[in-house]
Amino acid sequence: LRDLAALTGGAYVLVEKILEPGEELPDWPTAGTTGYDALAFVDRVLTDPTAEQALDAIDARLHGLPLDWHALIHQTKRGIADSILRAEVLRLEREVRAAHDDAPDDTADALAELLACFPVYRSYLPEGAEHLQHAAEQSAHWRPELSETVAWLLPILLDPSEEAARRFQQTSGMVMAKGVEDTAFYRSARLTSLNEVGGDPSVFACAPVDFHTAMQRRQGRWPHAMTTLSTHDTKRGEDVRARIGTIAEVPQEWDALLERLLVHAPVHDRAFSSLLLQAVVGAWPASRERLHAYAEKAARESDARTHWTDPDEAYEQALAAFVDACLEGEGRAAIEGFVASVDAGWRSNVLAAKLLALAMPGVPDVYQGSEVRELSLVDPDNRRPIDWAEADGLRARAASEPAHVDDLEHAKVRLVRETLRLRRDRPELVTGYAPVHAQGAAAEHVVAFDRGGAIAVVTRLPLGLARRGGWGDTTLPLPAGRWRELLSGREHDGGSVRVADLLRDLPVALLAPVE
């Protein structure tokens, strides 16, 4: 990496690395990651934390018992180590035995258990040795009978000169990716907007104060790391997650929709059908063909009732019939009613997430087509052709027409245009990070920050805000001077500004000093 940084003449080197919550990027000569960690913060600061208990209860009822996320991923990772990556585990065992002829008989079992317990994707010895120590401690909980062999293996796997240690570091990432992203993410249905690369579904929400703390740290340590909302690898497009996120604001209404539609679900698989229904609602109005394809892939990735290597055709046909029931008659009417009831919240979340991702510390990445509405599901759905003629027309309008929330696609394209142009044309306004704290009864519904001259303001938990009667007397302090809101074109004087005036046209605002 140091050679690469030198060869690029100071250009930024970014690492496509998925960090687990609390994990720090090693001290490499890079600008940071490609943005999955930023995505996790954006999704969670817009999630209503008060719904966690209600959604836990729904999920427990559908599963038949409370779902323990950490027990689940131990099970799925161990399943991967014992099946499709069994050859890699046996190769690791051979590397150990080639260098140590006194290896215990259960060495392969202990290696698989350490891989299942490894808490991050991989280590980079000597950095990250604590992760292997953690895995050893966890293995004693799940498989205490392997403790002696694990203790014997530890010095070998902690030694960078050992071939087995080098290969273990390469293998742990594969087990994590296949066991968590590609299996467990399809078995957890509490709130699937949280089942995303770079995030931990057991972490339900992020308070604004914690978001600000993370962004200040990001500005200090990784100001040129990438930020993103959608990639080739995300399980649901950003605007799908934005609608699914509204479920946390209306858990009782969501429960009612589940009860109406799960009568059509396959017997004894209501939990997976909840995951599938969230995809239907999030991507609405997706075509029958797209949703059938998603149901098949998601069910096979879940690897519970049907499998890539051994498909259960009857079960998959039952899932397709469930999708059909959602698209026809009373099912369609029920979904349309739910989508309409959360529409204002969805529109707000779409714009809020996009502005946060583009204005927060870092270098924004806009996955192709996501400047317009991004209602894709997992690949290959997110690699469908883009209607560039439509996008070009929206760009032309965005150059001259102010935005309004009633025309969401125009508003989103203008938001992308104005935020990126501000960062390009007035870079001196995006050199820092400081929280801007609203005052008043609805202050908890504001997330705002000053990037060193440019101020971003977004609405948080919009459906709850509407239930409480709107912004009322809530205000936001702006520095002295004259400010232009770049999305609507309105201007404001500095001082204590009513949030209701600031967000009259849109649930978000991007402010810059009038030149």
Side-chain angles (χ1 to χ4, degrees):
L1 284 170
R2 295 186 192 283
D3 291 343
L4 179 58
L7 286 170
T8 56
Y12 299 129
V13 177
L14 294 154
V15 184
E16 187 177 14
K17 177 170 177 58
I18 299 166
L19 297 171
E20 291 298 291
E23 182 186 5
E24 292 281 345
L25 192 68
D27 187 20
W28 296 335
T30 69
T33 73
T34 53
Y36 292 116
D37 44 342
L39 179 156
F41 277 110
V42 170
D43 283 350
R44 281 160 179 76
V45 79
L46 299 177
T47 299
D48 189 345
T50 66
E52 184 171 11
Q53 187 174 356
L55 292 178
D56 277 344
I58 294 170
D59 196 49
R61 188 180 77 239
L62 296 179
H63 276 101
L65 73 168
L67 182 67
D68 183 331
W69 172 251
H70 297 290
L72 172 62
I73 63 173
H74 174 267
Q75 174 193 345
T76 55
K77 289 172 69 178
R78 182 66 208 235
I80 291 297
D82 289 340
S83 57
I84 62 174
L85 291 181
R86 175 66 174 167
E88 297 295 331
V89 174
L90 294 179
R91 181 168 180 176
L92 267 174
E93 181 194 30
R94 290 197 299 273
E95 297 290 356
V96 171
R97 293 190 184 282
H100 305 274
D101 55 13
D102 59 337
D105 292 341
D106 54 1
T107 293
D109 195 5
L111 286 165
E113 190 61 28
L114 285 169
L115 289 166
C117 294
F118 209 71
V120 299
Y121 277 75
R122 62 162 293 167
S123 58
Y124 304 86
L125 294 175
E127 294 180 272
E130 69 277 8
H131 300 312
L132 190 59
Q133 298 284 2
H134 175 86
E137 294 169 5
Q138 289 297 303
S139 71
H141 168 73
W142 296 108
R143 297 288 304 280
E145 71 275 16
L146 295 175
S147 293
E148 288 187 11
T149 303
V150 167
W152 181 87
L153 278 168
L154 271 182
I156 298 171
L157 299 180
L158 287 169
D159 184 352
S161 68
E162 291 268 5
E163 180 61 30
R166 292 194 291 270
R167 185 161 293 280
F168 184 93
Q169 293 179 100
Q170 298 167 357
T171 308
S172 64
M174 291 187 278
V175 173
M176 176 73 86
K178 296 304 296 180
V180 179
E181 290 177 49
D182 295 343
T183 307
F185 273 6
Y186 293 94
R187 295 190 188 179
S188 171
R190 175 175 68 166
L191 187 67
T192 59
S193 55
L194 305 179
N195 298 14
E196 198 48 83
V197 181
D200 181 335
S202 69
V203 180
F204 189 80
C206 171
V209 63
D210 296 324
F211 177 83
H212 290 312
T213 299
M215 293 306 105
Q216 287 173 308
R217 180 173 179 79
R218 183 180 178 88
Q219 177 64 31
R221 292 205 61 193
W222 310 106
H224 303 298
M226 277 173 56
T227 67
T228 192
L229 284 181
S230 299
T231 76
H232 66 288
D233 230 4
T234 42
K235 306 304 179 186
R236 296 158 189 85
E238 60 200 59
D239 298 343
V240 174
R241 300 198 307 277
R243 187 181 281 131
I244 293 172
T246 65
I247 290 171
E249 293 205 68
V250 289
Q252 289 76 28
E253 291 84 346
W254 171 248
D255 197 12
L257 182 67
L258 282 171
E259 289 306 301
R260 289 185 66 179
L261 288 174
L262 291 189
V263 296
H264 304 289
V267 178
H268 307 306
D269 210 357
R270 289 159 58 85
F272 180 79
S273 299
S274 171
L275 178 143
L276 183 51
L277 182 58
Q278 289 177 59
V280 173
V281 167
W284 193 264
S287 69
R288 188 184 308 267
E289 292 73 24
R290 287 177 59 205
L291 292 174
H292 279 182
Y294 176 80
E296 178 184 280
K297 175 166 183 173
R300 292 182 182 181
E301 292 284 73
S302 172
D303 204 29
R305 296 280 301 278
T306 186
H307 320 276
W308 288 109
T309 54
D310 184 22
D312 183 332
E313 293 185 7
Y315 173 67
E316 291 180 1
Q317 288 172 2
L319 288 178
F322 174 62
V323 170
D324 291 342
C326 293
L327 298 179
E328 299 166 356
E330 293 182 2
R332 184 178 191 90
I335 290 177
E336 287 180 339
F338 180 84
V339 168
S341 73
V342 299
D343 186 64
W346 172 63
R347 291 169 180 270
S348 180
N349 284 351
V350 166
L351 298 176
K354 202 63 174 177
L355 183 55
L356 288 176
L358 297 181
M360 68 196 291
V363 177
D365 170 57
V366 179
Y367 185 63
Q368 61 175 5
S370 69
E371 68 270 38
V372 193
R373 188 166 53 176
E374 178 28 336
L375 290 174
S376 296
L377 295 166
V378 70
D379 70 281
D381 194 64
N382 60 13
R383 307 181 198 221
R384 289 172 295 126
I386 297 162
D387 186 343
W388 290 115
E390 177 190 32
D392 288 343
L394 286 165
R395 289 194 192 101
R397 283 184 57 206
S400 58
E401 296 181 21
H404 193 279
V405 71
D406 290 342
D407 190 344
L408 181 61
E409 291 199 336
H410 172 231
K412 189 179 181 187
V413 173
R414 183 168 173 90
L415 185 157
V416 173
R417 179 186 190 276
E418 295 300 326
T419 310
L420 296 184
R421 285 171 69 87
L422 174 69
R423 296 189 64 140
R424 182 194 67 186
D425 297 343
R426 303 179 72 181
E428 71 280 3
L429 300 181
V430 286
T431 56
Y433 186 94
V436 179
H437 298 294
Q439 302 294 323
E444 67 177 350
H445 293 278
V446 178
V447 177
F449 49 84
D450 185 340
R451 290 301 317 281
I455 298 175
V457 185
V458 310
T459 300
R460 174 176 175 265
L461 315 184
L463 297 178
L465 175 66
R467 285 194 294 268
R468 69 177 303 140
W471 293 111
D473 62 355
T474 306
T475 60
L476 195 73
L478 297 182
R482 188 73 173 164
W483 294 82
R484 176 173 291 116
E485 201 289 298
L486 300 178
L487 310 181
S488 67
R490 297 184 187 275
E491 293 190 2
H492 304 269
D493 288 323
S496 183
V497 179
R498 294 179 70 246
V499 176
D501 293 335
L502 188 62
L503 303 184
R504 181 185 306 175
D505 302 298
L506 294 162
V508 301
L510 179 63
L511 297 153
V514 174
E515 293 182 276

